[in-house]
Amino acid sequence: MTTTTAAPGTRRTRSPFTADERLLQRHRVGPVDRLPAEYILALLPRLPDWPAATVHRTMRLRGAATILDWLLSHPGEGWQDRWTVSGADRDTSWIGTLAPGDTRLAVTRRQEHVAGLGCLLMCRVVLPSYDFLTAYRAKGLLDRVHTIMRPEMFARLGNAAAERGLSGRDRSDALRVISKIVLHTGTDVGALTADDVLEMFAWGVHAQPRRRQIPGLHAAWDLLGDIGVTPAGVALRSALRRGQRPTAELVDDYGICCRPVRDVLIRYLDERRPALDYKSLAGLAGELAGTFWADIERHHPGIDTLHLPDEIAQAWKERVQVITATDGTVRPRKNIHALLMRVRAFYLDIQQWALEDPGWVPWAVPSPVRKNDTLGYEKARRKTVAAMHQRVRERLPHLPALADAAERCLAETTALLAAAAECEPDEVFDHAGSRYRRKTPKSAGLAARHQGSPSVTAENLVTGETINLTRREDEAFWARAIIETLRLSGVRLEELLEITHLALVSYKLPDSSEIVPLLQIVPSKSNEERLLLVDPELASVLATIITRLRAGNDGNVPLVARYDHHERTTGPLLPHLFQRTRGARREVISPGTVYKLINTALAAAGIKDATGQPLAYRPHDFRRCFTTAAVTGGLPVHIAARILGHKSLTTTETYMAVFQEDLIRSYRAFLGKRRATRPAEEYREPTDQEWQEFQQHFQLRKVALGTCGRPYGASCQHEHACMRCAMLRVSPQQRPRLTEIIHNLRERVAEARMNGWLGEVQGLQVSLEAAKRKLASLDRSIERNRRTGPTDLGMPAISNPR
């Protein structure tokens, strides 16, 4: 790909998808481009669909002759050159202006010219552009391609579409796209290449106006892959996405004028590249090449040395304190100390490397960023941690409400979808106090299709809103699945999207032979693999996901490839759990979609902060809330670090240190007291024996009404007052006993009030309210299980887990 240089300090914006303009610059000509007009006309009767009626044959010949005569009036070496010079390739208005001396009706003349043009296109006399094919709306032109240009290949494409289960509209769109590619390239279907399909995408990106989506293009790519034209098993989005770019391209985005400095920046980044992930490398290139050196070149043209005078260095440090937006607004730079430290590290690394490699010696100069300039880093870090703690304080109390809202929204949408699905099109029905009319399904539009079938759409007759119930139910399901998985597992966003069906494994406890489900988290940020215990709630969520994905796929979870937005790479085909259907294809949910789905659930929950403003959640907020709840509930900090995949306990402490200073001191005193009876290395990696004991402790938590959720190694903090304890998980079989306890508590409260035992009344009332909450929570769980029913997780077993 050609590299262009931007203006100094101005980063060239790049789309996440490749749209190579060079594909649009290829000059194509048809196989009969240089034949005389009389030879061209002699080819037309050889077409397979040449009509038997004389009037139709005459119409096609006269129309083709008129167009050829008109093209001959324009300069060019062949028919394609004349077609381009005449402007015929840009629009279709010229068709109605041919043969001005013809006195027949305009509609008759146009029909004749359209018939003749169709024959010329079928004989590949000229190869039309995509602009022309988009504007040209002659009925049946693309269908003629199926019957004239290798009909057996189009039959194979139709069979491939049937095997993929494409809807009629998806199949039609895909074949129309392929027909346009055949007409534009002048190539048979079997001789097409991947670049021919990518050219259509590039045309859509660079067209005026831009066409963000070409219906059927993705399905066309897949069908061509099925017959061996495009790479099999590689989705179009994967082929279009930009991979990792060379270091030189990352630096050249910022238009550095001084070649020696540009080269040393590239060399430095190449040295650092093996130890960095691609996103970190691109960010470092932006800071060193863009924010640092390109800014200096823009304000001090001609500078050619890294040894900056004090006044230039000081002026740069003052400029980078703020960020100036494109509209002229100025705001302070939040990461100023991190930026200064990276520039300082750049100079110090070169000084260190110069001791071992003489090639670095000419560039080993004093750093313009002094140590005193970075002294505020620790203070800024503490400020960031404090802001993170405040986010957790605000969001942790509302987390159950958000989960309940997501579940309620899914239940309501599912019920409405079921009610609408039972009705005929245009039938009016009532649901939840509102009146709806099921609308007639439309065959057009990607939004009106779901998994190969028309979606269910209804109009609310009260508000006039038209709702795509299939799409809304799909969004509600995945919103709940994402929120529940994040809050119950504490995984990162990247780890969430990497979960596959193969990640669910089973482990047999050696003493009781109980099967415990485990969730395997593949290496991500920390580049370490770990296993998480799956509690019943998380197991239920994962089971519903697996059941949904298996439906309509012969009982198997579909295989899809995931694109890593950080590393800019596409992984292998795997049974990813967090995948959705988009039109005729499946793909792993993108990080942006995760944010949108969470915001949808937040809008339904209506959660607000102390100032009355809507409270926003980011995926990482669920991880911090998970850590806070676990550690403050008594989970040892080194076990929490193992669960979270943290290499440093300091990182875990920043997640859980969200309370007042006196509580922190109490917690540290608690750790110090434990050290007196435990080994000296309190903060250490747990041994295999400790980890095994941690897995086995779940069988020791049985209590009268169900199971105690008390963390590993923690004693009962509520003197076995289980009714008031949030750790109690009531068993559904104990519901009659819980109801009896509530009835007894009410009688005791009445007795205490009658006798004036006010202190007793207060204590009993607290127990009564706690029991009511337990009963309500149990009823919700029973209703949820009744609605979803038991589902087999289908976990692959491992014989020798490590």
Side-chain angles (χ1 to χ4, degrees):
M1 180 180 298
T2 13
T3 303
T4 57
T5 304
T10 303
R11 190 176 190 275
R12 194 166 34 135
T13 58
R14 285 184 176 269
S15 165
F17 299 107
T18 56
D20 198 342
E21 295 183 53
R22 293 180 301 172
L23 296 174
L24 303 176
Q25 298 168 0
R26 295 186 293 181
H27 181 67
R28 302 177 185 272
V29 295
V32 294
D33 186 65
R34 300 298 180 92
L35 286 183
E38 56 271 18
Y39 287 92
I40 297 287
L41 295 176
L43 291 175
L44 303 190
R46 302 179 187 177
L47 291 172
D49 64 344
W50 190 249
T54 305
V55 61
H56 296 301
R57 294 200 301 266
T58 303
M59 177 185 295
R60 294 186 179 188
L61 288 171
R62 289 185 58 178
T66 302
I67 294 175
L68 293 176
D69 290 341
W70 177 69
L71 290 177
L72 285 172
S73 65
H74 296 86
E77 296 183 0
W79 297 112
Q80 189 67 35
D81 289 342
R82 299 185 186 100
W83 171 266
T84 304
V85 171
S86 67
D89 213 22
R90 292 191 293 270
D91 56 49
T92 60
S93 59
W94 56 272
I95 297 178
T97 63
L98 296 179
D102 195 332
T103 58
R104 292 177 299 169
L105 293 175
V107 64
T108 303
R109 285 183 288 140
R110 180 175 179 82
Q111 290 176 351
E112 185 176 275
H113 300 155
V114 166
L117 178 60
C119 292
L120 295 178
L121 295 178
M122 292 302 109
C123 290
R124 300 173 184 173
V125 178
V126 292
L127 306 179
S129 67
Y130 290 123
D131 288 324
F132 175 84
L133 291 174
T134 301
Y136 188 65
R137 301 184 180 277
K139 185 178 180 181
L141 173 65
L142 299 181
D143 292 336
R144 290 184 67 189
V145 177
H146 303 170
T147 59
I148 294 177
M149 300 181 179
R150 299 293 300 276
E152 72 282 1
M153 296 298 294
F154 280 96
R156 289 181 58 190
L157 292 170
N159 294 334
E163 292 177 1
R164 284 182 169 269
L166 297 186
S167 67
R169 185 62 183 182
D170 285 330
R171 174 183 176 276
S172 175
D173 286 343
L175 294 181
R176 286 175 61 86
V177 165
I178 296 173
S179 298
K180 288 183 179 181
I181 295 175
V182 168
L183 285 175
H184 171 70
T185 60
T187 307
D188 288 334
V189 175
L192 292 176
T193 65
D195 280 349
D196 293 330
V197 185
L198 297 179
E199 181 184 351
M200 175 174 270
F201 176 82
W203 163 77
V205 171
H206 297 288
Q208 295 297 332
R210 178 179 178 180
R211 291 167 172 81
R212 293 185 176 272
Q213 190 169 12
I214 302 174
L217 182 60
H218 290 269
W221 173 277
D222 294 336
L223 295 183
L224 290 172
D226 292 340
I227 64 173
V229 174
T230 58
V234 179
L236 177 59
R237 292 176 67 87
S238 300
L240 291 172
R241 286 187 171 110
R242 295 184 182 276
Q244 295 187 3
R245 300 166 57 206
T247 308
E249 282 192 17
L250 296 175
V251 173
D252 287 339
D253 276 350
Y254 301 93
I256 294 178
C257 299
C258 179
R259 190 77 182 183
V261 173
R262 168 195 174 273
D263 293 341
V264 78
L265 285 171
I266 294 173
R267 184 183 174 191
Y268 174 79
L269 292 171
D270 280 335
E271 290 281 350
R272 296 286 312 275
R273 186 163 192 158
L276 299 175
D277 60 78
Y278 180 77
K279 185 176 181 180
S280 300
L281 174 73
L284 182 61
E287 290 177 327
L288 295 180
T291 310
F292 174 54
W293 191 254
D295 180 81
I296 288 178
E297 282 192 344
R298 187 168 62 252
H299 290 85
H300 306 279
I303 190 167
D304 59 356
T305 176
L306 291 178
H307 193 176
L308 302 180
D310 290 341
E311 60 275 12
I312 293 180
Q314 187 60 34
W316 174 78
K317 286 184 283 188
E318 291 176 359
R319 287 194 303 271
V320 296
Q321 295 289 333
V322 297
I323 297 177
T324 304
T326 53
D327 57 358
T329 58
V330 177
R331 58 182 174 85
R333 186 185 296 273
K334 292 183 178 180
N335 63 340
I336 178 61
H337 293 96
L339 172 63
L340 294 176
M341 290 183 68
R342 291 189 182 96
V343 173
R344 177 173 171 81
F346 167 64
Y347 278 85
L348 296 184
D349 285 343
I350 292 178
Q351 294 172 17
Q352 181 65 31
W353 296 344
L355 299 176
E356 304 173 359
D357 183 357
W360 289 104
V361 171
W363 303 100
V365 297
S367 170
V369 180
R370 305 290 186 255
K371 185 176 182 179
N372 289 341
D373 296 329
T374 63
L375 292 180
Y377 174 77
E378 186 59 30
K379 180 180 179 180
R381 191 191 71 83
R382 289 196 298 268
K383 184 178 180 181
T384 301
V385 172
M388 181 177 69
H389 292 167
Q390 182 60 29
R391 285 185 64 89
V392 177
R393 293 190 194 100
E394 292 176 346
R395 285 155 180 78
L396 184 57
H398 299 289
L399 201 53
L402 175 59
D404 289 343
E407 184 173 353
R408 183 177 63 253
C409 183
L410 174 60
E412 293 173 353
T413 308
T414 303
L416 179 57
L417 175 61
E422 294 176 355
C423 299
E424 296 296 329
D426 293 327
E427 181 179 345
V428 177
F429 64 97
D430 294 324
H431 179 79
S434 295
R435 174 157 289 194
Y436 299 86
R437 175 188 289 114
R438 179 175 177 179
K439 303 198 71 175
T440 303
K442 297 180 180 179
S443 60
L446 289 175
R449 296 191 299 277
H450 181 76
Q451 297 184 359
S453 302
S455 60
V456 178
T457 307
E459 178 186 3
N460 189 323
L461 299 180
V462 178
T463 63
E465 179 187 10
T466 299
I467 310 170
N468 188 324
L469 298 177
T470 306
R471 182 172 57 191
R472 180 168 293 187
E473 185 274 341
D474 186 67
E475 292 175 349
F477 174 85
W478 288 111
R480 175 183 177 270
I482 288 170
I483 290 173
E484 290 291 277
T485 306
L486 287 174
R487 80 178 186 92
L488 294 174
S489 65
V491 296
R492 302 178 179 92
L493 173 58
E494 180 184 1
E495 295 169 344
L496 172 82
L497 300 180
E498 288 178 344
I499 295 176
T500 68
H501 192 200
L502 303 177
L504 288 167
V505 297
S506 58
Y507 175 72
K508 180 183 290 187
L509 296 177
D511 295 340
S512 63
S513 298
E514 180 184 354
I515 301 297
V516 178
L518 300 175
L519 182 63
Q520 180 186 29
I521 303 300
V522 299
S524 59
K525 181 178 179 180
S526 60
N527 207 28
E528 289 184 359
E529 183 184 52
R530 64 187 193 276
L531 290 174
L532 301 181
L533 286 168
V534 178
D535 65 6
E537 290 182 85
L538 180 57
S540 175
V541 173
L542 297 178
T544 58
I545 294 175
I546 294 172
T547 302
R548 187 182 186 91
L549 296 178
R550 282 175 167 175
N553 197 56
D554 298 330
N556 299 317
V557 177
L559 301 179
V560 293
R562 175 182 173 271
Y563 177 74
D564 190 328
H565 293 264
H566 296 286
E567 293 294 339
R568 298 284 185 90
T569 57
T570 300
L573 293 172
L574 291 172
H576 288 280
L577 295 188
F578 289 87
Q579 58 171 285
R580 296 175 69 194
T581 299
R582 294 191 60 183
R585 66 187 186 276
R586 283 184 175 272
E587 60 183 31
V588 177
I589 297 174
S590 67
T593 302
V594 171
Y595 279 86
K596 292 179 182 178
L597 293 174
I598 293 175
N599 291 335
T600 301
L602 285 170
I607 299 175
K608 300 184 182 299
D609 59 14
T611 63
Q613 298 299 317
L615 197 61
Y617 280 77
R618 293 196 292 263
H620 215 71
D621 290 328
F622 295 94
R623 180 173 171 85
R624 297 189 181 107
C625 291
F626 171 86
T627 310
T628 300
V631 175
T632 56
L635 185 69
V637 65
H638 65 290
I639 295 292
R642 175 75 175 266
I643 292 174
L644 294 173
H646 287 161
K647 291 184 177 180
S648 170
L649 294 180
T650 305
T651 306
T652 309
E653 285 185 339
T654 61
Y655 275 56
M656 59 91 174
V658 295
F659 299 105
Q660 298 296 331
E661 186 178 354
D662 55 340
L663 295 181
I664 297 298
R665 285 198 301 266
S666 299
Y667 180 76
R668 292 187 179 276
F670 167 70
L671 291 180
K673 183 178 179 180
R674 285 179 53 208
R675 284 196 182 129
T677 57
R678 291 179 62 86
E681 314 85 26
E682 177 66 27
Y683 289 90
R684 56 179 173 77
E685 182 75 5
T687 64
D688 292 340
Q689 181 180 357
E690 283 183 323
W691 191 244
Q692 185 177 10
E693 292 175 356
F694 173 68
Q695 294 172 345
Q696 293 174 343
H697 86 279
F698 292 95
Q699 58 185 320
L700 304 176
R701 302 187 304 177
K702 302 296 182 181
V703 293
L705 289 176
T707 305
C708 175
R710 187 169 63 250
Y712 164 73
S715 59
C716 181
Q717 301 179 5
H718 300 90
E719 299 179 356
H720 298 281
C722 297
M723 190 59 63
R724 302 184 184 183
C725 183
M727 295 296 177
L728 174 63
R729 297 175 179 172
V730 182
S731 172
Q733 288 76 18
Q734 298 297 327
R735 189 182 188 283
R737 184 174 181 182
L738 180 58
T739 306
E740 182 181 350
I741 291 174
I742 293 175
H743 180 69
N744 179 263
L745 285 172
R746 287 172 175 165
E747 292 180 348
R748 292 176 61 188
V749 169
E751 179 186 2
R753 285 177 176 168
M754 183 174 60
N755 291 284
W757 303 334
L758 300 183
E760 185 75 3
V761 169
Q762 185 177 5
L764 291 171
Q765 193 66 38
V766 173
S767 297
L768 178 60
E769 294 300 323
K772 289 180 179 179
R773 289 195 296 270
K774 296 291 184 187
L775 180 61
S777 176
L778 179 61
D779 287 342
R780 286 198 302 270
S781 176
I782 294 175
E783 173 61 23
R784 180 168 60 249
N785 292 335
R786 183 193 64 79
R787 187 169 60 247
T788 59
T791 305
D792 180 20
L793 275 175
M795 297 182 299
I798 54 176
S799 57
N800 185 22
R802 293 182 179 179

